Amino acid sequence: MPPYAEDPLAAGPDAGPADVDGPDPRRAAFDWTEAAARQRAEAGLVRTLRPRSAESDLLDLASNDYLGLTRRPEITEAAAEAARRWGAGSTGSRLVTGSTRLHARLERELADFCGFEAALVFSSGYTANLAALTALSARDGLIVSDAGNHASIVDGCRLARAETAVVPHADPEAVAKTLGAHPDRRALVVSDSVFSVDGDRAPLTALAEACRTHGAGLVVDDAHGFGVLGDGGRGALHAAGLAGDPDVVATLTLSKSLGSQGGAVLGPARVIEHLVNAARTFIFDTGLAPAATAGALASLRLIAAEPGLAARARTVATTLHRMLTEAGLTAVHPDAAVVSVRAPGPGEALKWAADCRELGLAVGCFRPPSVPDGISRLRLTARADLDDAQIERAVETIVRTAPEGARPA
């Protein structure tokens, strides 16, 4: 048993009778975790926390800081000033003391920038998805969910207690067929805009058409599209011409392109008002800290002032993809800023990522059960602030450390 799992009551002056007479019977309650740990180890699926220092020599292609804003001086100073002025925390739920003028400004400017009527800020993108799905569905209703959707959407569907129909990935015909089979039920269709595993884009226009044919609402998680797609980074729904439509709701995170923390739901004002009154992850959760709120607001204003950031992130992604495929690796063509490189298996993917790290490159590693198709991958973040030399260094490292079987015969 590893040191961190040792019983803190096993020795010392406060040891009780169980320590003297034999094994502590209280330990039996979680003995099953040891068998679970062995199973994970045998499958090559052990996950490890790796605390990082404030400064690092690693070239970072693992984070979700798509536009490279999290360390921009104007962003960090805005966050610091907000902490000094408003305090370290928001002090309560949004409906009690947790709403500041910063939250109101961010919601107004976020809605305006993305082309929606209103917005509501949450403590994370995860809680934003839970809110949208639980508050906008009905127990006797239907949710149609893409098979490749993020875990927060999956959990939102479960908590909603509506019937959930999982349809094949990026298949609007399957969505339309499922909706047509339940003509008299209140329905939502939910999809990522850009899928976090392979970085491919959802067919949003076709999904909206299917929804409108059958009277369903469309909920789109734009976490990986916002800041990268659309005019100046206004998001995938803006790019598809759906932003602001009365039957469309967007969710997004403030922790990726905005380099801060938190999440938001955007949509018609009446929908946002309903969430304020009905979404449990809004009503009962502590509001987003002022520092994170101010940092996100400063980033949003910077993106508006520097619209070329979104295009640069896409250029870096396509360049990484081209160079990796030219080297013989299998990489999915990126629709936004995620570049996915396939690995032979979970063990090989884990070692590949570790070997890259040894050479000074941080990359993401996706393995089951995080990937619905069971295919392990390296996941690269194409940041807008990467220069050509850094891109070449990253590709050289990935190619050099590629395991046997990473290049198809």
Side-chain angles (χ1 to χ4, degrees):
M1 185 177 294
Y4 59 78
E6 291 177 358
D7 187 350
L9 301 178
D14 296 326
D19 304 294
V20 176
D21 299 334
D24 186 343
R26 294 171 298 177
R27 293 180 60 84
F30 296 111
D31 277 352
W32 59 268
T33 62
E34 296 175 25
R38 286 193 295 271
Q39 292 173 355
R40 285 193 296 270
E42 290 168 1
L45 299 178
V46 175
R47 288 165 169 79
T48 304
L49 290 173
R50 186 183 290 111
R52 62 180 176 88
S53 60
E55 303 296 334
S56 174
D57 293 331
L58 289 172
L59 176 57
D60 177 21
L61 269 72
S63 74
N64 288 319
D65 186 19
Y66 292 137
L67 303 184
L69 299 184
T70 193
R71 289 181 176 270
R72 285 277 293 256
E74 51 267 68
I75 309 306
T76 56
E77 180 53 36
E81 173 58 26
R84 287 190 291 265
R85 181 179 182 188
W86 295 94
S90 65
T91 76
S93 69
R94 290 288 309 276
L95 289 170
V96 183
T97 59
S99 288
T100 70
R101 292 178 181 176
L102 289 173
H103 292 82
R105 289 176 200 153
L106 177 58
E107 288 165 346
R108 183 176 62 253
E109 294 187 27
L110 193 59
D112 289 345
F113 181 78
C114 295
F116 285 85
E117 196 171 29
L120 191 64
V121 166
F122 288 76
S123 62
S124 71
Y126 211 108
T127 55
N129 272 341
L130 298 187
L133 292 169
T134 57
L136 299 179
S137 62
R139 288 198 181 191
D140 59 350
L142 175 70
I143 301 176
V144 183
S145 178
D146 189 288
N149 279 340
H150 186 262
S152 59
I153 295 177
V154 174
D155 289 352
C157 292
R158 290 169 176 167
L159 288 171
R161 302 182 187 179
E163 179 184 349
T164 298
V166 179
V167 295
H169 178 53
D171 188 344
E173 292 184 6
V175 170
K177 183 177 179 180
T178 303
L179 291 173
H182 302 84
D184 300 320
R185 299 173 71 177
R186 194 168 99 197
L188 289 176
V189 173
V190 60
S191 176
D192 284 320
S193 65
V194 176
F195 294 90
S196 61
V197 174
D198 274 337
D200 56 319
R201 196 190 308 195
L204 295 181
T205 303
L207 289 178
E209 182 178 349
C211 287
R212 287 161 184 174
T213 299
H214 298 282
L218 178 61
V219 177
V220 177
D221 180 354
D222 203 20
H224 298 277
F226 172 64
V228 178
L229 299 177
D231 179 22
R234 284 171 171 79
L237 286 162
H238 192 280
L242 298 171
D245 285 357
D247 55 351
V248 174
V249 170
T251 66
L252 51 84
T253 176
L254 313 178
S255 63
K256 294 180 172 62
S257 288
L258 294 185
S260 184
Q261 190 169 350
V265 180
L266 298 81
R270 62 179 181 171
V271 170
I272 300 305
E273 190 271 341
H274 176 73
L275 295 182
V276 170
N277 287 275
R280 292 174 66 85
T281 57
F282 180 82
I283 297 169
F284 298 108
D285 191 25
T286 298
L288 186 65
T293 307
L297 180 58
S299 289
L300 181 64
R301 291 171 176 174
L302 192 150
I303 292 173
E306 299 183 19
L309 286 171
R312 174 60 185 171
R314 297 195 301 270
T315 297
V316 172
T318 55
T319 302
L320 283 168
H321 173 265
R322 175 181 57 79
M323 296 176 71
L324 290 166
T325 54
E326 287 175 352
L329 299 177
T330 301
V332 179
H333 189 277
D335 286 332
V338 173
V339 181
S340 172
V341 187
R342 296 199 170 187
E348 292 90 342
L350 193 64
K351 185 177 185 304
W352 196 358
D355 289 345
C356 286
R357 191 177 188 86
E358 284 293 316
L359 296 178
L361 175 68
V363 297
C365 177
F366 275 28
R367 301 165 291 154
S370 298
V371 288
D373 58 8
I375 298 174
S376 298
R377 302 158 169 84
L378 295 189
R379 181 184 180 278
L380 315 178
T381 299
R383 295 201 331 265
D385 60 337
L386 294 178
D387 59 34
D388 293 344
Q390 289 173 318
I391 295 171
E392 291 177 6
R393 174 186 160 195
V395 170
E396 190 278 332
T397 302
I398 294 166
V399 172
R400 176 179 170 186
T401 56
E404 184 177 352
R407 296 178 179 85

